[in-house]
Amino acid sequence: MPSEFALIDRYFKRPTRHTLLGVGDDGALIAPTSGCELVISTDMLVEGTHFLADTDPEALGWKCLAVNVSDMAAMGALPRWVTLGITVPPAPTFGWLDGFSRGFFACANEFGIDLIGGDTTRGPRAFCVTILGEAEPGKALRRSGARVGDGIWISGRPGCAALGLAHVQGRIELPEPRLADCLAALHRPQPRVALGLALRSLATAAIDVSDGLLADLGHILEQSAVAARLQIPDLPAAGLERDCLLAGGDDYELLFTAAVSGPRIAALAADLQLPLTRIGEIVAAAPGELVLVDADGKDITPARRGFDHFG
Amino acid sequence: MPSEFALIDRYFKRPTRHTLLGVGDDGALIAPTSGCELVISTDMLVEGTHFLADTDPEALGWKCLAVNVSDMAAMGALPRWVTLGITVPPAPTFGWLDGFSRGFFACANEFGIDLIGGDTTRGPRAFCVTILGEAEPGKALRRSGARVGDGIWISGRPGCAALGLAHVQGRIELPEPRLADCLAALHRPQPRVALGLALRSLATAAIDVSDGLLADLGHILEQSAVAARLQIPDLPAAGLERDCLLAGGDDYELLFTAAVSGPRIAALAADLQLPLTRIGEIVAAAPGELVLVDADGKDITPARRGFDHFG
């Protein structure tokens, strides 16, 4: 078994682009852009809870970072630096870490992120990613800014990742080419960084849909102390995929509220070549209340909103 | 079992002092002091590797943060913000997390650190702490700055924590009051933040002694491409404690090199009421070479330098 330092050198030491001092000292050293605010987010990913033992390590490496990049997107921040804590069993290590680090750095390179530090130790397989991004002062997107009258929008085609998971778990069988799309959404999610940056001057609140749309919209409603009315027929999904969108998770599309006009959002969607769909609006009702209405205007609100690892 | 959000609210949401937006959004938001550099460090602590299942949770909560504060001290940085990733088994949770968070916040309050984010999930017990500190531009202490002729210094009474561990593990039996000192060093290490800040204008290189003096001095020698000669009789420990100091670990004292005079360091030691002991000097020899000499000037260099979780 190679030493901790050899593992780090081999798999996790790469040239940095905008870092004063990277992996290898008691701490890394960065010089944030003068006047910027910093956005920081941490995620733990644990085998058996967040991923299965037989998950492809390269896909996991990508996803491990991508889900944190998505948090930066949801805050309207530019992702810049990341640290990675790893615990891995004594064996097998070589091939597995090789694939994992390839996926991780593929994502880091795509979004211009420097890996600046970490810790590699022995234990049940788990990862802890802490990401840092830069935001313009006062412009970070929060969950608390939604106001009555705002439209509620969602990017992309959420629900796809949960469908892919259902297929992998043998609960459904997806036909090609839908299967390929859903597996890509599950294994190689594309965080919406460009959208998040564009929304800084357009959105009143934003969140990424990682726990399912109902749960994540619920967070916006609670923190903004407002209510929402969702038009089910307007959701960019139908049938089982719609159920996945509402209560599933793992999607990493952005859900946002905005007071600006539809055409302005449509222009942004065209610019980014990314569907942006208006699915409802913020209304004056009991804070936190979330009503789903069908094509006939009938209330079809379900009892349960989402996913909780401790539920 | 309470939900993830209830756990976070109950145990890990506290008022912050110098943070724009803390726990509860997709990311936390901070405004670093204009012109400062940031120092960042990450540690994973895993049950069975870094701590035992029956470790007192309050002591663990303190130590979990303190060892990261020590990394800031070793860089000459002021610790300011921290994120905490936790995986815990489904049960027992209440009492355990209560103790853990009490210890964690005791350390955070002592050093003026805001907990700004984290993640709580189910799994084998492990913690991931990422700490951020502020450093004056160009003044952070690195491992790479030691030069031939520098004195080599160490703070406090390292070796004590490893002795305490040996007692806890039943390998030795310590008498009181020595036992109390060693258990305190093991369970409630005191990171040397004030020393680290004072060393910014005095030391040429620094590191905290977490892997044992020989291993950690080795890091300085490699990164500075210099050699060292240690005077064993000058070490602030003797007998078994000296062995613990050399090859043990878990001490979190600072080891540093400095070109300034002894009296200047003695004045600092008096100011801080902390022993600072000169134990050798940086010499011109093969880079990385570390020679230990006894009272007669005889070379007694051991074969093995320290501790590695993958060794």
Side-chain angles (χ1 to χ4, degrees), chain A residues 4-27:
Chain A
E4 177 182 347
F5 304 110
L7 282 182
I8 290 171
D9 275 356
R10 178 162 176 178
Y11 297 114
F12 297 107
K13 216 166 173 176
R14 296 286 186 280
T16 54
R17 285 153 285 206
H18 43 257
T19 298
L20 299 174
L21 182 65
V23 172
D25 211 300
D26 288 290

PDB file of all heavy atoms in Angstrom, chain A residues 4-27:
ATOM      1  N   GLU A   4       0.280   7.755   2.441  1.00  0.00           N
ATOM      2  CA  GLU A   4      -0.680   8.836   2.238  1.00  0.00           C
ATOM      3  C   GLU A   4      -0.102   9.900   1.303  1.00  0.00           C
ATOM      4  O   GLU A   4      -0.771  10.396   0.410  1.00  0.00           O
ATOM      5  CB  GLU A   4      -1.023   9.452   3.598  1.00  0.00           C
ATOM      6  CG  GLU A   4      -1.962  10.625   3.514  1.00  0.00           C
ATOM      7  CD  GLU A   4      -2.249  11.254   4.873  1.00  0.00           C
ATOM      8  OE1 GLU A   4      -1.907  10.629   5.902  1.00  0.00           O
ATOM      9  OE2 GLU A   4      -2.794  12.361   4.899  1.00  0.00           O
ATOM     10  N   PHE A   5       1.170  10.233   1.509  1.00  0.00           N
ATOM     11  CA  PHE A   5       1.785  11.303   0.710  1.00  0.00           C
ATOM     12  C   PHE A   5       1.950  10.872  -0.743  1.00  0.00           C
ATOM     13  O   PHE A   5       1.738  11.655  -1.662  1.00  0.00           O
ATOM     14  CB  PHE A   5       3.126  11.705   1.325  1.00  0.00           C
ATOM     15  CG  PHE A   5       2.988  12.125   2.756  1.00  0.00           C
ATOM     16  CD1 PHE A   5       3.476  11.349   3.782  1.00  0.00           C
ATOM     17  CD2 PHE A   5       2.305  13.305   3.077  1.00  0.00           C
ATOM     18  CE1 PHE A   5       3.309  11.731   5.112  1.00  0.00           C
ATOM     19  CE2 PHE A   5       2.133  13.687   4.408  1.00  0.00           C
ATOM     20  CZ  PHE A   5       2.645  12.893   5.427  1.00  0.00           C
ATOM     21  N   ALA A   6       2.292   9.592  -0.941  1.00  0.00           N
ATOM     22  CA  ALA A   6       2.436   9.090  -2.310  1.00  0.00           C
ATOM     23  C   ALA A   6       1.088   9.097  -3.022  1.00  0.00           C
ATOM     24  O   ALA A   6       0.995   9.446  -4.200  1.00  0.00           O
ATOM     25  CB  ALA A   6       3.030   7.679  -2.284  1.00  0.00           C
ATOM     26  N   LEU A   7       0.037   8.728  -2.299  1.00  0.00           N
ATOM     27  CA  LEU A   7      -1.305   8.754  -2.890  1.00  0.00           C
ATOM     28  C   LEU A   7      -1.673  10.155  -3.338  1.00  0.00           C
ATOM     29  O   LEU A   7      -2.189  10.372  -4.434  1.00  0.00           O
ATOM     30  CB  LEU A   7      -2.360   8.303  -1.864  1.00  0.00           C
ATOM     31  CG  LEU A   7      -2.524   6.817  -1.584  1.00  0.00           C
ATOM     32  CD1 LEU A   7      -3.647   6.597  -0.584  1.00  0.00           C
ATOM     33  CD2 LEU A   7      -2.829   6.074  -2.877  1.00  0.00           C
ATOM     34  N   ILE A   8      -1.412  11.127  -2.461  1.00  0.00           N
ATOM     35  CA  ILE A   8      -1.765  12.517  -2.776  1.00  0.00           C
ATOM     36  C   ILE A   8      -0.961  13.000  -3.975  1.00  0.00           C
ATOM     37  O   ILE A   8      -1.504  13.586  -4.910  1.00  0.00           O
ATOM     38  CB  ILE A   8      -1.545  13.415  -1.538  1.00  0.00           C
ATOM     39  CG1 ILE A   8      -2.598  13.078  -0.476  1.00  0.00           C
ATOM     40  CG2 ILE A   8      -1.615  14.894  -1.912  1.00  0.00           C
ATOM     41  CD1 ILE A   8      -2.373  13.735   0.860  1.00  0.00           C
ATOM     42  N   ASP A   9       0.359  12.726  -3.951  1.00  0.00           N
ATOM     43  CA  ASP A   9       1.206  13.145  -5.071  1.00  0.00           C
ATOM     44  C   ASP A   9       0.714  12.575  -6.389  1.00  0.00           C
ATOM     45  O   ASP A   9       0.632  13.255  -7.396  1.00  0.00           O
ATOM     46  CB  ASP A   9       2.653  12.670  -4.854  1.00  0.00           C
ATOM     47  CG  ASP A   9       3.428  13.661  -4.007  1.00  0.00           C
ATOM     48  OD1 ASP A   9       2.870  14.722  -3.674  1.00  0.00           O
ATOM     49  OD2 ASP A   9       4.579  13.365  -3.676  1.00  0.00           O
ATOM     50  N   ARG A  10       0.395  11.272  -6.336  1.00  0.00           N
ATOM     51  CA  ARG A  10       0.076  10.577  -7.573  1.00  0.00           C
ATOM     52  C   ARG A  10      -1.290  10.967  -8.135  1.00  0.00           C
ATOM     53  O   ARG A  10      -1.444  11.159  -9.336  1.00  0.00           O
ATOM     54  CB  ARG A  10       0.118   9.074  -7.302  1.00  0.00           C
ATOM     55  CG  ARG A  10      -0.252   8.243  -8.503  1.00  0.00           C
ATOM     56  CD  ARG A  10       0.227   6.814  -8.304  1.00  0.00           C
ATOM     57  NE  ARG A  10      -0.193   5.962  -9.389  1.00  0.00           N
ATOM     58  CZ  ARG A  10       0.129   4.686  -9.483  1.00  0.00           C
ATOM     59  NH1 ARG A  10       0.899   4.149  -8.559  1.00  0.00           N
ATOM     60  NH2 ARG A  10      -0.297   3.954 -10.484  1.00  0.00           N
ATOM     61  N   TYR A  11      -2.273  11.062  -7.275  1.00  0.00           N
ATOM     62  CA  TYR A  11      -3.633  11.225  -7.769  1.00  0.00           C
ATOM     63  C   TYR A  11      -4.207  12.635  -7.614  1.00  0.00           C
ATOM     64  O   TYR A  11      -5.145  12.994  -8.315  1.00  0.00           O
ATOM     65  CB  TYR A  11      -4.567  10.225  -7.085  1.00  0.00           C
ATOM     66  CG  TYR A  11      -4.211   8.793  -7.399  1.00  0.00           C
ATOM     67  CD1 TYR A  11      -3.755   7.936  -6.416  1.00  0.00           C
ATOM     68  CD2 TYR A  11      -4.306   8.318  -8.710  1.00  0.00           C
ATOM     69  CE1 TYR A  11      -3.421   6.626  -6.708  1.00  0.00           C
ATOM     70  CE2 TYR A  11      -3.966   7.016  -9.019  1.00  0.00           C
ATOM     71  CZ  TYR A  11      -3.516   6.171  -8.016  1.00  0.00           C
ATOM     72  OH  TYR A  11      -3.180   4.888  -8.316  1.00  0.00           O
ATOM     73  N   PHE A  12      -3.668  13.408  -6.700  1.00  0.00           N
ATOM     74  CA  PHE A  12      -4.369  14.649  -6.387  1.00  0.00           C
ATOM     75  C   PHE A  12      -3.515  15.903  -6.424  1.00  0.00           C
ATOM     76  O   PHE A  12      -3.943  16.960  -5.991  1.00  0.00           O
ATOM     77  CB  PHE A  12      -5.082  14.516  -5.032  1.00  0.00           C
ATOM     78  CG  PHE A  12      -6.123  13.449  -5.074  1.00  0.00           C
ATOM     79  CD1 PHE A  12      -5.931  12.239  -4.429  1.00  0.00           C
ATOM     80  CD2 PHE A  12      -7.276  13.640  -5.811  1.00  0.00           C
ATOM     81  CE1 PHE A  12      -6.883  11.234  -4.502  1.00  0.00           C
ATOM     82  CE2 PHE A  12      -8.242  12.653  -5.891  1.00  0.00           C
ATOM     83  CZ  PHE A  12      -8.043  11.444  -5.232  1.00  0.00           C
ATOM     84  N   LYS A  13      -2.281  15.799  -6.902  1.00  0.00           N
ATOM     85  CA  LYS A  13      -1.447  16.990  -7.014  1.00  0.00           C
ATOM     86  C   LYS A  13      -1.373  17.361  -8.487  1.00  0.00           C
ATOM     87  O   LYS A  13      -0.855  16.606  -9.301  1.00  0.00           O
ATOM     88  CB  LYS A  13      -0.044  16.685  -6.460  1.00  0.00           C
ATOM     89  CG  LYS A  13       0.573  17.867  -5.740  1.00  0.00           C
ATOM     90  CD  LYS A  13       1.773  17.429  -4.924  1.00  0.00           C
ATOM     91  CE  LYS A  13       2.509  18.623  -4.333  1.00  0.00           C
ATOM     92  NZ  LYS A  13       3.614  18.172  -3.474  1.00  0.00           N
ATOM     93  N   ARG A  14      -1.914  18.501  -8.833  1.00  0.00           N
ATOM     94  CA  ARG A  14      -1.930  18.963 -10.212  1.00  0.00           C
ATOM     95  C   ARG A  14      -1.535  20.432 -10.211  1.00  0.00           C
ATOM     96  O   ARG A  14      -1.707  21.110  -9.199  1.00  0.00           O
ATOM     97  CB  ARG A  14      -3.332  18.839 -10.812  1.00  0.00           C
ATOM     98  CG  ARG A  14      -3.852  17.415 -10.936  1.00  0.00           C
ATOM     99  CD  ARG A  14      -3.193  16.645 -12.064  1.00  0.00           C
ATOM    100  NE  ARG A  14      -3.798  15.333 -12.247  1.00  0.00           N
ATOM    101  CZ  ARG A  14      -3.543  14.251 -11.503  1.00  0.00           C
ATOM    102  NH1 ARG A  14      -2.683  14.340 -10.503  1.00  0.00           N
ATOM    103  NH2 ARG A  14      -4.137  13.102 -11.741  1.00  0.00           N
ATOM    104  N   PRO A  15      -0.997  20.926 -11.312  1.00  0.00           N
ATOM    105  CA  PRO A  15      -0.672  22.348 -11.350  1.00  0.00           C
ATOM    106  C   PRO A  15      -1.939  23.177 -11.113  1.00  0.00           C
ATOM    107  O   PRO A  15      -3.014  22.818 -11.589  1.00  0.00           O
ATOM    108  CB  PRO A  15      -0.157  22.550 -12.788  1.00  0.00           C
ATOM    109  CG  PRO A  15       0.229  21.188 -13.272  1.00  0.00           C
ATOM    110  CD  PRO A  15      -0.680  20.227 -12.570  1.00  0.00           C
ATOM    111  N   THR A  16      -1.793  24.264 -10.370  1.00  0.00           N
ATOM    112  CA  THR A  16      -2.936  25.146 -10.144  1.00  0.00           C
ATOM    113  C   THR A  16      -2.825  26.365 -11.052  1.00  0.00           C
ATOM    114  O   THR A  16      -1.751  26.652 -11.581  1.00  0.00           O
ATOM    115  CB  THR A  16      -2.993  25.593  -8.670  1.00  0.00           C
ATOM    116  OG1 THR A  16      -1.723  26.168  -8.322  1.00  0.00           O
ATOM    117  CG2 THR A  16      -3.275  24.419  -7.754  1.00  0.00           C
ATOM    118  N   ARG A  17      -3.955  27.066 -11.216  1.00  0.00           N
ATOM    119  CA  ARG A  17      -3.977  28.187 -12.165  1.00  0.00           C
ATOM    120  C   ARG A  17      -4.077  29.543 -11.490  1.00  0.00           C
ATOM    121  O   ARG A  17      -3.608  30.533 -12.001  1.00  0.00           O
ATOM    122  CB  ARG A  17      -5.173  28.007 -13.122  1.00  0.00           C
ATOM    123  CG  ARG A  17      -4.916  26.932 -14.150  1.00  0.00           C
ATOM    124  CD  ARG A  17      -6.208  26.307 -14.634  1.00  0.00           C
ATOM    125  NE  ARG A  17      -6.743  25.418 -13.604  1.00  0.00           N
ATOM    126  CZ  ARG A  17      -7.542  24.373 -13.845  1.00  0.00           C
ATOM    127  NH1 ARG A  17      -7.902  24.106 -15.072  1.00  0.00           N
ATOM    128  NH2 ARG A  17      -7.985  23.610 -12.856  1.00  0.00           N
ATOM    129  N   HIS A  18      -4.748  29.580 -10.350  1.00  0.00           N
ATOM    130  CA  HIS A  18      -4.966  30.875  -9.690  1.00  0.00           C
ATOM    131  C   HIS A  18      -4.853  30.706  -8.179  1.00  0.00           C
ATOM    132  O   HIS A  18      -5.737  31.128  -7.435  1.00  0.00           O
ATOM    133  CB  HIS A  18      -6.317  31.485 -10.100  1.00  0.00           C
ATOM    134  CG  HIS A  18      -7.447  30.486 -10.122  1.00  0.00           C
ATOM    135  ND1 HIS A  18      -7.951  29.943 -11.277  1.00  0.00           N
ATOM    136  CD2 HIS A  18      -8.151  29.918  -9.126  1.00  0.00           C
ATOM    137  CE1 HIS A  18      -8.918  29.099 -10.999  1.00  0.00           C
ATOM    138  NE2 HIS A  18      -9.063  29.067  -9.689  1.00  0.00           N
ATOM    139  N   THR A  19      -3.752  30.050  -7.760  1.00  0.00           N
ATOM    140  CA  THR A  19      -3.543  29.710  -6.355  1.00  0.00           C
ATOM    141  C   THR A  19      -2.094  30.031  -5.996  1.00  0.00           C
ATOM    142  O   THR A  19      -1.186  29.715  -6.759  1.00  0.00           O
ATOM    143  CB  THR A  19      -3.840  28.206  -6.158  1.00  0.00           C
ATOM    144  OG1 THR A  19      -5.213  27.988  -6.498  1.00  0.00           O
ATOM    145  CG2 THR A  19      -3.565  27.752  -4.739  1.00  0.00           C
ATOM    146  N   LEU A  20      -1.872  30.667  -4.841  1.00  0.00           N
ATOM    147  CA  LEU A  20      -0.509  31.025  -4.452  1.00  0.00           C
ATOM    148  C   LEU A  20       0.275  29.805  -3.981  1.00  0.00           C
ATOM    149  O   LEU A  20       1.466  29.679  -4.238  1.00  0.00           O
ATOM    150  CB  LEU A  20      -0.542  32.075  -3.329  1.00  0.00           C
ATOM    151  CG  LEU A  20      -1.221  33.402  -3.679  1.00  0.00           C
ATOM    152  CD1 LEU A  20      -1.320  34.287  -2.438  1.00  0.00           C
ATOM    153  CD2 LEU A  20      -0.446  34.111  -4.780  1.00  0.00           C
ATOM    154  N   LEU A  21      -0.404  28.906  -3.266  1.00  0.00           N
ATOM    155  CA  LEU A  21       0.257  27.719  -2.699  1.00  0.00           C
ATOM    156  C   LEU A  21      -0.791  26.625  -2.600  1.00  0.00           C
ATOM    157  O   LEU A  21      -1.815  26.807  -1.941  1.00  0.00           O
ATOM    158  CB  LEU A  21       0.801  28.074  -1.309  1.00  0.00           C
ATOM    159  CG  LEU A  21       1.580  27.005  -0.542  1.00  0.00           C
ATOM    160  CD1 LEU A  21       2.868  26.649  -1.255  1.00  0.00           C
ATOM    161  CD2 LEU A  21       1.875  27.501   0.883  1.00  0.00           C
ATOM    162  N   GLY A  22      -0.529  25.498  -3.281  1.00  0.00           N
ATOM    163  CA  GLY A  22      -1.531  24.433  -3.329  1.00  0.00           C
ATOM    164  C   GLY A  22      -1.267  23.332  -2.319  1.00  0.00           C
ATOM    165  O   GLY A  22      -0.804  23.586  -1.209  1.00  0.00           O
ATOM    166  N   VAL A  23      -1.540  22.100  -2.709  1.00  0.00           N
ATOM    167  CA  VAL A  23      -1.367  20.930  -1.848  1.00  0.00           C
ATOM    168  C   VAL A  23       0.071  20.827  -1.341  1.00  0.00           C
ATOM    169  O   VAL A  23       1.004  21.042  -2.107  1.00  0.00           O
ATOM    170  CB  VAL A  23      -1.717  19.656  -2.650  1.00  0.00           C
ATOM    171  CG1 VAL A  23      -1.369  18.397  -1.884  1.00  0.00           C
ATOM    172  CG2 VAL A  23      -3.195  19.656  -3.035  1.00  0.00           C
ATOM    173  N   GLY A  24       0.272  20.515  -0.051  1.00  0.00           N
ATOM    174  CA  GLY A  24       1.608  20.184   0.417  1.00  0.00           C
ATOM    175  C   GLY A  24       2.119  20.954   1.609  1.00  0.00           C
ATOM    176  O   GLY A  24       3.201  20.665   2.102  1.00  0.00           O
ATOM    177  N   ASP A  25       1.380  21.953   2.087  1.00  0.00           N
ATOM    178  CA  ASP A  25       1.819  22.653   3.305  1.00  0.00           C
ATOM    179  C   ASP A  25       0.740  22.437   4.371  1.00  0.00           C
ATOM    180  O   ASP A  25      -0.132  21.593   4.212  1.00  0.00           O
ATOM    181  CB  ASP A  25       2.046  24.146   2.996  1.00  0.00           C
ATOM    182  CG  ASP A  25       3.145  24.736   3.872  1.00  0.00           C
ATOM    183  OD1 ASP A  25       2.997  24.715   5.109  1.00  0.00           O
ATOM    184  OD2 ASP A  25       4.138  25.223   3.319  1.00  0.00           O
ATOM    185  N   ASP A  26       0.810  23.161   5.498  1.00  0.00           N
ATOM    186  CA  ASP A  26      -0.239  23.010   6.502  1.00  0.00           C
ATOM    187  C   ASP A  26      -1.571  23.546   5.994  1.00  0.00           C
ATOM    188  O   ASP A  26      -2.625  23.177   6.490  1.00  0.00           O
ATOM    189  CB  ASP A  26       0.150  23.745   7.793  1.00  0.00           C
ATOM    190  CG  ASP A  26       1.271  23.015   8.523  1.00  0.00           C
ATOM    191  OD1 ASP A  26       0.992  21.930   9.059  1.00  0.00           O
ATOM    192  OD2 ASP A  26       2.405  23.505   8.519  1.00  0.00           O
ATOM    193  N   GLY A  27      -1.512  24.442   5.021  1.00  0.00           N
ATOM    194  CA  GLY A  27      -2.718  24.969   4.428  1.00  0.00           C
ATOM    195  C   GLY A  27      -2.399  25.472   3.037  1.00  0.00           C
ATOM    196  O   GLY A  27      -1.227  25.654   2.688  1.00  0.00           O
TER     197      GLY A  27
END
